[in-house]
């Protein structure tokens, strides 16, 4: 039985056999059939597309294009045409003719790489016509690496610690290193025989050393003269 018209179902036209093609076009270009309970919708002409069109206020628009000549590339070919995912269309992807957007309307937006030891990388233009990595999240070494300079605007703080204890920032006039909540502030050089050196302007447009903590000699060296204000005291020795 090749074709069945089912009067009991309102005159449904049925092709009742698996792998039985319904074809259209002079070259039987369009083919629709079922095989092993899977549905196939095919354009059988080499490198020709499948387009799904709608009528938008009297204008016919291609809503979805499947480009056979581009490895079956699927595109939403219109600017400001959103791909919406989720029951409420919460996750949205679109391009507005100038910029591209990924937006989330509900809950968190998670970007996850489940591949063992795989990375997540953020790349953009390298200023020379190519692309380069600006930040990477290394799943093998569990390290976040910043590959390019990172700039914080004035009064925007780099904050460390569960209680936001250590803060580094510039307020537009001055720079600050603040320990605001817990414990002491340590500045350490753990390399054998190396120093900690405090430098500042030398009054001639350059830099000079003011205090040097000499790790090889275990000495504190004052490279410039020390001025003690009136009524202030300078203690020398362990007895103070």
């Amino acid at each position: 039985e090749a074709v069945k018209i089912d009067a009991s179902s309102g005159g449904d036209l049925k092709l009742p056999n698996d792998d039985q093609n319904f074809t259209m076009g002079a070259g039987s270009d369009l083919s629709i059939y079922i095989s092993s309970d899977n549905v196939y919708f095919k354009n059988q002409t080499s490198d020709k597309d499948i387009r799904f069109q709608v009528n938008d206020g009297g204008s016919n628009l291609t809503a979805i294009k499947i480009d056979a000549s581009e490895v079956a590339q699927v595109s939403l070919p219109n600017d400001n045409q959103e791909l919406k995912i989720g029951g409420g269309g919460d996750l949205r992807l679109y391009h507005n003719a100038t910029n591209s957007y990924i937006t989330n309307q509900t809950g968190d937006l998670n970007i996850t790489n489940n591949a063992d030891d795989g990375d997540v990388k953020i790349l953009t233009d390298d200023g020379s016509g190519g692309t380069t990595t600006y930040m990477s999240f290394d799943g093998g070494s569990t390290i976040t690496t910043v590959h390019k300079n990172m700039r914080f605007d004035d009064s925007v703080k780099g904050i460390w610690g569960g209680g936001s204890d250590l803060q580094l920032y510039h307020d537009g006039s001055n720079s600050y290193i603040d320990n605001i909540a817990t414990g002491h502030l340590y500045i350490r050089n753990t390399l054998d025989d190396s120093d900690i050196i405090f430098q500042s302007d030398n009054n001639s447009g350059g830099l000079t050393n003011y205090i040097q903590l000499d790790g090889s000699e275990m000495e504190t060296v004052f490279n410039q003269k020390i001025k003690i204000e009136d009524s202030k005291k300078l203690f020398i020795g362990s007895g103070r």
Side-chain angles (χ1 to χ4, degrees):
E1 185 178 29
V3 179
K4 176 181 179 181
I5 300 175
D6 191 342
S8 65
S9 297
D12 287 351
L13 176 65
K14 297 181 178 181
L15 305 183
N17 308 300
D18 280 354
D19 298 302
Q20 182 179 5
N21 281 283
F22 172 75
T23 63
M24 294 180 65
S28 298
D29 308 292
L30 174 62
S31 173
I32 304 172
Y33 65 96
I34 294 176
S35 181
S36 301
D37 296 327
N38 297 307
V39 178
Y40 293 83
F41 187 94
K42 297 171 61 177
N43 184 347
Q44 302 193 104
T45 303
S46 177
D47 289 338
K48 295 300 181 181
D49 305 337
I50 294 177
R51 300 169 185 249
F52 294 88
Q53 292 194 328
V54 294
N55 188 306
D56 181 7
S59 298
N60 290 321
L61 298 177
T62 298
I64 300 173
K65 176 184 175 183
I66 304 174
D67 192 333
S69 63
E70 295 292 338
V71 199
Q73 180 186 88
V74 178
S75 64
L76 307 183
N78 308 292
D79 289 333
N80 295 305
Q81 180 183 4
E82 294 183 340
L83 172 63
K84 295 183 178 181
I85 301 172
D90 305 299
L91 177 60
R92 303 176 184 184
L93 290 78
Y94 68 98
H95 183 79
N96 70 354
T98 304
N99 301 301
S100 298
Y101 298 86
I102 302 173
T103 66
N104 180 47
Q105 310 300 117
T106 304
D108 300 325
L109 176 62
N110 297 312
I111 300 174
T112 304
N113 183 355
N114 287 316
D116 287 347
D117 296 333
D119 302 345
V120 173
K121 298 182 179 182
I122 300 175
L123 292 81
T124 189
D125 182 72
D126 62 0
S128 301
T131 59
T132 190
T133 302
Y134 279 67
M135 181 176 288
S136 61
F137 306 87
D138 191 320
S141 60
T142 64
I143 292 176
T144 299
T145 302
V146 179
H147 300 273
K148 298 294 181 181
N149 293 333
M150 180 176 288
R151 181 169 61 200
F152 292 74
D153 286 340
D154 288 341
S155 299
V156 175
K157 299 178 179 180
I159 297 176
W160 286 262
S164 300
D165 307 296
L166 176 62
Q167 302 184 359
L168 283 74
Y169 64 99
H170 182 81
D171 67 0
S173 300
N174 302 295
S175 299
Y176 300 87
I177 302 173
D178 292 342
N179 180 38
I180 65 170
T182 305
H184 304 296
L185 176 63
Y186 287 83
I187 300 174
R188 305 195 294 183
N189 184 351
T190 63
L191 183 64
D192 287 349
D193 296 333
S194 292
D195 304 344
I196 293 177
I197 300 172
F198 293 87
Q199 294 186 328
S200 189
D201 181 70
N202 66 357
N203 199 33
S204 298
L207 291 173
T208 191
N209 295 351
Y210 278 73
I211 301 174
Q212 180 176 351
L213 310 182
D214 191 322
S216 61
E217 298 293 335
M218 295 185 64
E219 293 179 347
T220 299
V221 180
F222 294 90
N223 304 100
Q224 308 299 325
K225 61 186 179 182
I226 300 173
K227 179 180 179 181
I228 302 174
E229 295 181 357
D230 294 342
S231 76
K232 303 300 181 182
K233 298 178 180 180
L234 174 63
F235 293 96
I236 300 175
S238 59
R240 299 177 34 152

